């Protein structure tokens, strides 16, 4: 049994224990929650390369006591040369998932780190950036042990990645074989990139020596990304969306993320009046609320500059009341739709001053495009493959447009005085697991770790699965499974503790300075209490 971690001086949760330790060590050294998260974000990019990279995107929600939470959107836009015509001229009917033409958007997460550190600059003396990146650099230089999940995913995806520029040289053995669990993965080029950034500053990633190396390498590989795309990029501060519940107010990121869906699911579910957790009504109600939220998401959510509706209007009480009436508590509505995959990490941190960070970083699919830029060790995301080449599609490709994002870090300020950061990786599963963890812990009083460890479900596709069934971990009670089937759900049973359900985590701090944290037994992670 894994128990909730408790502390009095801070907390961090991450899906790899070395990332959690990197963040915790910054807190121990007197750093704040944002600095701890930058350290953890750098470390997780090194030790969990199949899930994320500094060549990907990221999103932040930062909570400071007495102030409204702020968001940071570190989503990179499509390159100026990346147009529908360019892909059609190259013979594509859809944007490819792997290779240089899948690497068509700017990587935004480093810009997000910079914006987050700037937002925290008034909190006191800053730790040197080189100190924040030190553990990541050490892991990249000295090597990190390959996890079972990395070995498995590399095996599964090798056929589609082995021909991509730089992939085998970076992530496989000298003979080109998949590195087995426990083998050492050394990333000297990535270490040098991080060390350089630590010395000269994060801006160099976009407007310096690193930027020039990235642009040259991407162009040589065949990507549409150019130096001018990198030079034009800056992460954006934003106001998170929020909605009030009986238990408090929950926050998430606006479009182009699916954060509005995460908020809608819980707001719709509350209106169903379900009294008993883990009941048929609990699971069925959340699944049907998910369908209502995803219908709107699939039809409208993209770069907000290209949206014809205001997603915030979906969070108004009258709209939610009407939408909740569409939910039949006895029968499931049919569910064929276009799913959204994704591979990601979520992490949370809280410091002694009560500041809380919810953070998510991703390359979209495992290993992203697979393109490792020569001399940098940076594997580039394939987030741009979520664009459509259909001009009528809401997420149609246009130069400079930001893609739809499954990424959505969650945060709540509860009526009992706690601030809770929580999240999950896994594309479609992110808002669903957020709803599972939040409802179990906050609405039904289940301890935080138990809420994450408990069996989970996922409506739709993730991790390369093409089915849109309601997937349940087999640990659910047989009677509940049978009731869901009888209600019309297309149920598919999966093995216990499957990574298909993602890697969740949570941290919280009370008004009295008590910290709690939890990590997912489905991951290689840890919650570290101070």
């Amino acid at each position: 049994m894994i128990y909730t971690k408790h502390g009095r001086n801070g907390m961090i949760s991450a899906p790899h224990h070395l990332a959690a330790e990197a963040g915790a060590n910054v807190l121990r050294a007197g750093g704040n929650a944002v600095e701890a998260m930058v350290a953890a974000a750098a470390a997780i990019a090194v030790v969990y390369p199949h899930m994320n990279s500094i060549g990907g995107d990221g999103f932040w929600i930062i909570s400071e006591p007495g102030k409204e939470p702020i968001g940071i959107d570190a989503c990179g836009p499509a390159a100026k040369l990346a147009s529908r015509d360019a892909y059609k001229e190259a013979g594509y009917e859809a944007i490819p998932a792997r290779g240089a033409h899948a690497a068509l958007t700017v990587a935004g997460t480093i810009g997000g780190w910079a914006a987050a550190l700037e937002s925290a600059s008034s909190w006191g003396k800053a730790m040197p950036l080189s100190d924040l990146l030190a553990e990541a650099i050490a892991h990249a230089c000295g090597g990190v042990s390959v996890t079972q999940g990395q070995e498995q995913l590399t095996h599964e995806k090798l056929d589609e990645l082995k021909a991509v520029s730089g992939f085998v040289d970076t992530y496989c053995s000298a003979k080109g074989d998949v590195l087995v669990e426990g083998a050492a993965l050394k990333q000297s080029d990535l270490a040098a990139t991080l060390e350089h950034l630590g010395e000269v500053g994060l801006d160099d990633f976009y407007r310096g020596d690193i930027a020039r190396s990235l642009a040259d390498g991407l162009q040589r590989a065949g990507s549409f990304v150019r130096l001018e795309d990198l030079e034009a990029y800056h992460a954006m501060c934003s106001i998170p969306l929020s909605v009030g519940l009986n238990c408090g107010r929950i926050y998430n990121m606006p479009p182009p993320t699916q954060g509005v869906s995460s908020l809608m699911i819980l707001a719709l579910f509350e209106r169903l009046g379900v009294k008993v957790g883990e009941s048929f009504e609990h699971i069925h109600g959340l699944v049907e609320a998910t369908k209502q939220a995803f219908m709107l998401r699939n039809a409208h959510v993209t770069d907000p500059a290209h949206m014809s509706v205001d997603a915030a209007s979906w969070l108004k009480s009258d709209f939610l009341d009407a939408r909740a009436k569409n939910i039949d508590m006895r029968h499931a509505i049919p569910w064929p739709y276009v799913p959204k995959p994704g591979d990601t990490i979520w992490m949370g941190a809280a410091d002694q001053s009560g500041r809380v960070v919810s953070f998510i970083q991703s390359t979209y699919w495992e290993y992203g495009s697979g393109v490792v830029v020569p001399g940098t060790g940076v594997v580039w995301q394939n987030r741009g493959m979520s664009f459509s080449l259909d001009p009528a599609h809401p997420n149609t490709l246009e130069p400079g447009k930001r893609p739809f994002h499954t990424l959505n870090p969650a945060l709540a300020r509860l009526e009992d005085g706690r601030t809770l950061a929580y999240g999950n990786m896994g594309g479609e599963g992110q808002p669903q697991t957020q709803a599972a963890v939040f409802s179990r812990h906050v609405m039904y009083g289940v301890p935080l770790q138990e809420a994450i460890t408990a069996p989970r479900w996922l409506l739709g596709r993730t991790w390369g699965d093409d089915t849109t069934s309601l997937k349940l971990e087999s640990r659910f009670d047989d009677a509940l499974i049978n009731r869901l089937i009888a209600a019309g759900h297309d149920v598919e049973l999966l093995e216990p503790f499957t990574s298909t359900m993602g890697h969740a985590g949570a941290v919280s701090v009370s008004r009295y300075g008590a910290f709690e944290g939890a990590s997912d037994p489905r991951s290689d992670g840890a919650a570290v209490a101070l």
Side-chain angles (χ1 to χ4, degrees):
M1 178 70 178
I2 304 175
Y3 296 99
T4 302
K5 299 290 177 61
H6 297 270
R8 303 299 302 184
N9 297 298
M11 183 71 65
I12 187 157
S13 176
H16 194 290
H17 61 95
L18 292 177
E21 284 293 343
N25 286 336
V26 168
L27 293 176
R28 293 185 182 109
N32 59 54
V34 164
E35 292 171 326
M37 189 55 70
V38 169
I44 199 74
V46 172
V47 304
Y48 238 34
H50 53 305
M51 290 296 174
N52 76 120
S53 163
I54 64 172
D57 285 345
F59 294 89
W60 300 66
I61 295 182
I62 302 170
S63 171
E64 185 179 0
K67 298 181 179 181
E68 280 298 300
I70 64 168
I72 295 174
D73 177 331
C75 165
K80 290 182 179 180
L81 295 176
S83 66
R84 295 190 299 271
D85 287 343
Y87 278 93
K88 290 180 179 178
E89 288 170 6
Y92 293 109
E93 295 184 359
I95 297 172
R98 306 294 193 185
H101 284 147
L104 68 146
T105 60
V106 173
T109 196
I110 293 291
W113 298 4
L117 290 170
E118 176 62 27
S119 76
S121 61
S122 63
W123 295 355
K125 184 178 180 181
M127 290 184 66
L129 179 61
S130 57
D131 289 357
L132 301 183
L133 305 184
E135 290 198 33
I137 294 167
H139 292 315
C141 277
V144 62
S145 295
V146 170
T147 63
Q148 186 275 334
Q150 182 179 346
E151 178 191 356
Q152 179 182 338
L153 278 172
T154 309
H155 267 298
E156 292 175 358
K157 307 302 177 182
L158 187 59
D159 284 347
E160 60 196 65
L161 288 165
K162 61 186 179 184
V164 178
S165 174
F167 181 82
V168 170
D169 290 343
T170 304
Y171 298 115
C172 294
S173 73
K175 296 181 179 180
D177 298 324
V178 171
L179 292 175
V180 299
E181 180 180 2
L185 171 64
K186 295 184 178 182
Q187 301 169 80
S188 57
D189 286 346
L190 182 56
T193 294
L194 291 169
E195 187 170 17
H196 184 78
L197 293 174
E199 291 172 354
V200 306
L202 297 173
D203 194 66
D204 197 82
F205 192 91
Y206 302 100
R207 287 163 284 275
D209 292 339
I210 297 297
R212 286 184 282 275
S213 295
L214 291 169
D216 180 68
L218 286 167
Q219 183 173 355
R220 288 177 181 273
S223 168
F224 291 118
V225 175
R226 297 292 184 268
L227 181 60
E228 64 179 308
D229 298 307
L230 298 175
E231 290 177 334
Y233 179 73
H234 295 274
M236 298 184 295
C237 290
S238 66
I239 299 172
L241 296 176
S242 69
V243 67
L245 303 176
N246 293 333
C247 55
R249 179 161 289 270
I250 56 176
Y251 299 82
N252 216 303
M253 289 295 288
T257 81
Q258 64 174 337
V260 65
S261 301
S262 296
L263 299 175
M264 282 189 70
I265 291 167
L266 285 167
L268 291 169
F269 177 73
E270 183 178 77
R271 285 162 167 76
L272 303 179
V274 176
K275 303 299 183 184
V276 180
E278 306 308 313
S279 62
F280 165 80
E281 290 77 15
H282 179 199
I283 311 304
H284 172 79
L286 281 174
V287 171
E288 294 304 297
T290 297
K291 294 175 181 178
Q292 294 297 319
F294 280 7
M295 285 183 215
L296 289 170
R297 180 203 68 180
N298 291 352
H300 299 288
V301 173
T302 184
D303 184 335
H306 297 263
M307 287 178 62
S308 60
V309 298
D310 180 8
S313 67
W314 303 340
L315 301 174
K316 293 180 178 179
S317 292
D318 290 350
F319 185 90
L320 291 166
D321 290 344
R323 199 79 185 183
K325 291 177 181 178
N326 294 334
I327 297 175
D328 185 333
M329 288 302 290
R330 295 176 299 171
H331 302 103
I333 62 169
W335 193 239
Y337 76 112
V338 179
K340 313 284 185 182
D343 290 287
T344 306
I345 59 91
W346 176 90
M347 300 189 290
D351 65 27
Q352 200 168 13
S353 297
R355 307 178 189 106
V356 178
V357 171
S358 185
F359 171 73
I360 199 160
Q361 182 168 272
S362 172
T363 53
Y364 196 35
W365 284 20
E366 53 287 297
Y367 293 113
S369 67
V371 174
V372 181
V373 184
T376 70
V378 177
V379 62
W380 212 258
Q381 65 182 355
N382 64 340
R383 178 63 58 177
M385 67 155 291
S386 67
F387 283 122
S388 172
L389 298 182
D390 178 358
H393 194 282
N395 199 39
T396 190
L397 174 64
E398 294 184 24
K401 184 177 180 180
R402 291 183 294 156
F404 169 82
H405 257 281
T406 52
L407 306 188
N408 64 116
L411 186 133
R413 286 181 168 174
L414 304 176
E415 288 295 321
D416 62 14
R418 287 180 297 156
T419 299
L420 172 69
Y422 59 104
N424 184 49
M425 52 74 77
E428 294 288 274
Q430 288 182 42
Q432 299 181 63
T433 292
Q434 286 180 18
V437 171
F438 186 92
S439 63
R440 283 167 166 162
H441 178 58
V442 178
M443 295 178 168
Y444 300 120
V446 173
L448 190 56
Q449 183 60 62
E450 186 178 333
I452 289 174
T453 303
R456 293 211 290 266
W457 64 90
L458 187 148
L459 175 69
R461 168 190 168 192
T462 193
W463 287 82
D465 191 332
D466 292 327
T467 64
T468 57
S469 58
L470 176 60
K471 300 167 181 63
L472 302 176
E473 288 187 312
S474 59
R475 294 182 292 139
F476 279 104
D477 182 76
D478 287 345
L480 172 59
I481 293 171
N482 290 334
R483 283 200 66 185
L484 290 168
I485 293 171
H489 292 283
D490 178 18
V491 170
E492 178 183 354
L493 294 182
L494 303 183
E495 64 185 31
F497 296 103
T498 173
S499 284
T500 298
M501 298 300 166
H503 300 159
V507 300
S508 71
V509 59
S510 75
R511 59 163 59 103
Y512 308 110
F515 296 84
E516 290 189 350
S519 63
D520 202 325
R522 300 165 184 84
S523 74
D524 300 283
V528 178
L530 283 74

